[in-house]
Amino acid sequence: MNYDDAKMKFVSTWGSLGSLWGINKAMAQIQALLFISIKPLSMEDIMADLHISRGNTSMNLRQLMDWGIVTKEIIPGERKEYFTTEKDVQELARIIAKERSRREIQPVIKVLKEVSSITDDGTEKTKELIKQTKALHDLTQTADDMINKLVNQKQNWITKSVLKLFK
Amino acid sequence: MNYDDAKMKFVSTWGSLGSLWGINKAMAQIQALLFISIKPLSMEDIMADLHISRGNTSMNLRQLMDWGIVTKEIIPGERKEYFTTEKDVQELARIIAKERSRREIQPVIKVLKEVSSITDDGTEKTKELIKQTKALHDLTQTADDMINKLVNQKQNWITKSVLKLFK
DNA sequence: ATAAACTTTCAATAATTATTGAAAGTTTAA
DNA sequence: TTAAACTTTCAATAATTATTGAAAGTTTAT
């Protein structure tokens, strides 16, 4: 496999994986492109490489910046804006996990807490609803805590040492 | 909040959360409904409660069974089929994590390995592609291992003890 | 102040994904 | 074997989500 094939394969795989980390295809592809680029890219560069429109590129770059994954780079003497992505995978994972937690997990935890806190009217179905949503709340909360704590460790040794525990 | 409101809120929240664990809305809602039900439900029950068609119910129940989350229950003397879901959240999490790993993470790991194994032609861009996809491969692999190992522990004490490590 | 170079916005459209409903299929009871 | 009771399938349709492209907006240089 040559460079161009490998690049294409990586970009499109990462793109279709977007759903796994909760973003759309174009957004994931732009990030992938920047991730393996050796220099900042302009909107033109991205449009040409990915064959997507200017509007699409602009909107998705903005979203990536909102996530804190991509930043504008000003190149002196250049009129165009250039973009780069976080290049360190650990840091990337940290940002993504934090954002997903904030955007998706926290709201669900809130609802689960609410639902599991209704007053017990003594009926079996109410008891079951409370019991099950409480269990889900605890699990979600625990998982969320773990993800955040794991991902906040900047050093890799923690990951390794935890892994050892389970080997 | 009364029982019916709480039930509705839970079912619809869990439904819209479907995307987070990679399944569609109806599928997640059916699972949610079964999860808080005190007895197995028939297709009719589910259709009526969720206001969805017979075809939709049938297809999504089949998918939930493929995932291994829902099972058919034969009730003696009854002609209809009844359905139940796994009620233990830990076990539920185990099944879901395992399936997602198998369906989505493994294929990506495979591609990352492939791409990061192209022959180094000495150019800077190839070096960068190899370096970055390798880093992504390692991270994804480590995360996948951790998820699987954590989730395979049936007892909750492991989770608690890991958590303590990071407090 | 003007115009060129560039970016953003957003209504229209395309692509994708979910849902329906009715016909075909299956199982059970008599 | 027939018919009633039930489930599955799948082409048509609806709903949702992503993408385009051109007009409007912004910035910079002269």
Side-chain angles (χ1 to χ4, degrees):
Chain A
M1 193 161 44
N2 62 25
Y3 175 79
D4 288 332
D5 290 345
K7 175 180 169 181
M8 231 186 63
K9 189 158 196 172
F10 169 64
V11 170
S12 81
T13 303
W14 204 243
S16 64
L17 190 68
S19 65
L20 204 143
W21 49 290
I23 65 172
N24 77 34
K25 203 181 72 174
M27 205 172 143
Q29 286 188 348
I30 293 172
Q31 199 277 327
L33 197 59
L34 292 174
F35 190 68
I36 57 168
S37 171
I38 54 178
K39 55 180 199 334
L41 300 179
S42 69
M43 244 173 62
E44 301 286 343
D45 294 334
I46 296 167
M47 287 167 60
D49 241 356
L50 259 34
H51 300 104
I52 58 176
S53 71
R54 187 175 298 283
N56 200 2
T57 308
S58 171
M59 282 170 132
N60 284 111
L61 276 171
R62 134 102 66 169
Q63 278 211 77
L64 284 164
M65 288 188 283
D66 287 348
W67 272 71
I69 291 169
V70 162
T71 46
K72 264 186 196 160
E73 195 97 344
I74 302 301
I75 296 194
E78 286 272 11
R79 190 72 169 276
K80 282 184 197 141
E81 295 179 327
Y82 285 78
F83 302 89
T84 45
T85 189
E86 171 59 54
K87 285 273 187 161
D88 177 56
V89 285
Q90 302 281 325
E91 186 61 17
L92 196 59
R94 222 198 93 244
I95 296 172
I96 293 167
K98 204 172 125 194
E99 281 294 294
R100 291 211 81 184
S101 168
R102 188 176 67 76
R103 292 169 195 236
E104 297 176 278
I105 305 176
Q106 298 302 336
V108 172
I109 289 177
K110 194 168 149 275
V111 170
L112 288 173
K113 195 175 176 183
E114 236 176 290
V115 170
S116 67
S117 303
I118 61 168
T119 50
D120 185 350
D121 62 11
T123 63
E124 201 184 342
K125 64 183 189 179
T126 301
K127 280 184 198 304
E128 182 72 1
L129 176 65
I130 292 173
K131 181 180 145 211
Q132 293 297 78
T133 52
K134 209 170 177 20
L136 226 36
H137 173 266
D138 292 348
L139 177 79
T140 311
Q141 183 70 66
T142 303
D144 188 50
D145 286 351
M146 287 192 60
I147 288 166
N148 280 306
K149 288 195 160 61
L150 278 173
V151 119
N152 272 322
Q153 306 303 133
K154 299 217 173 162
Q155 307 88 332
N156 193 245
W157 70 264
I158 300 275
T159 308
K160 281 180 190 142
S161 69
V162 172
L163 217 45
K164 264 180 218 144
L165 267 176
F166 298 102
K167 282 262 169 67
Chain B
M1 192 160 46
N2 63 26
Y3 176 78
D4 288 332
D5 291 345
K7 175 179 169 182
M8 230 186 65
K9 189 159 195 171
F10 170 63
V11 170
S12 81
T13 303
W14 205 243
S16 63
L17 191 67
S19 64
L20 203 143
W21 49 291
I23 66 173
N24 76 35
K25 203 182 72 174
M27 205 174 144
Q29 287 188 346
I30 292 172
Q31 198 276 328
L33 199 58
L34 292 172
F35 190 68
I36 56 168
S37 170
I38 55 180
K39 55 182 204 326
L41 300 180
S42 68
M43 244 174 62
E44 301 285 344
D45 294 334
I46 295 166
M47 288 167 60
D49 240 356
L50 259 34
H51 301 101
I52 59 176
S53 72
R54 187 175 299 282
N56 199 2
T57 308
S58 172
M59 283 171 133
N60 283 112
L61 276 170
R62 133 102 66 168
Q63 278 213 75
L64 283 164
M65 288 187 284
D66 288 348
W67 273 70
I69 291 170
V70 162
T71 46
K72 265 186 196 162
E73 195 97 342
I74 303 300
I75 296 193
E78 288 271 12
R79 192 72 170 275
K80 283 184 197 142
E81 296 177 327
Y82 285 79
F83 302 88
T84 44
T85 189
E86 169 61 52
K87 286 272 186 165
D88 177 55
V89 285
Q90 301 281 325
E91 185 62 15
L92 196 59
R94 223 199 92 246
I95 296 171
I96 293 167
K98 204 172 125 195
E99 280 295 293
R100 290 211 80 184
S101 169
R102 189 176 66 75
R103 291 169 196 235
E104 297 175 277
I105 304 176
Q106 299 302 337
V108 172
I109 289 177
K110 194 167 149 279
V111 170
L112 287 174
K113 194 175 176 180
E114 235 176 291
V115 171
S116 67
S117 304
I118 61 168
T119 50
D120 186 348
D121 62 11
T123 63
E124 202 184 342
K125 64 183 190 181
T126 301
K127 281 184 197 305
E128 182 73 2
L129 176 64
I130 292 172
K131 180 182 145 210
Q132 293 297 78
T133 52
K134 208 170 176 21
L136 227 36
H137 174 267
D138 292 348
L139 177 80
T140 312
Q141 183 70 66
T142 304
D144 189 49
D145 286 351
M146 286 192 62
I147 288 166
N148 281 307
K149 288 194 159 64
L150 279 173
V151 120
N152 272 322
Q153 305 302 133
K154 300 218 175 164
Q155 307 88 331
N156 190 246
W157 70 264
I158 300 276
T159 307
K160 281 181 189 143
S161 69
V162 171
L163 216 44
K164 265 181 215 144
L165 267 176
F166 298 102
K167 282 263 169 70

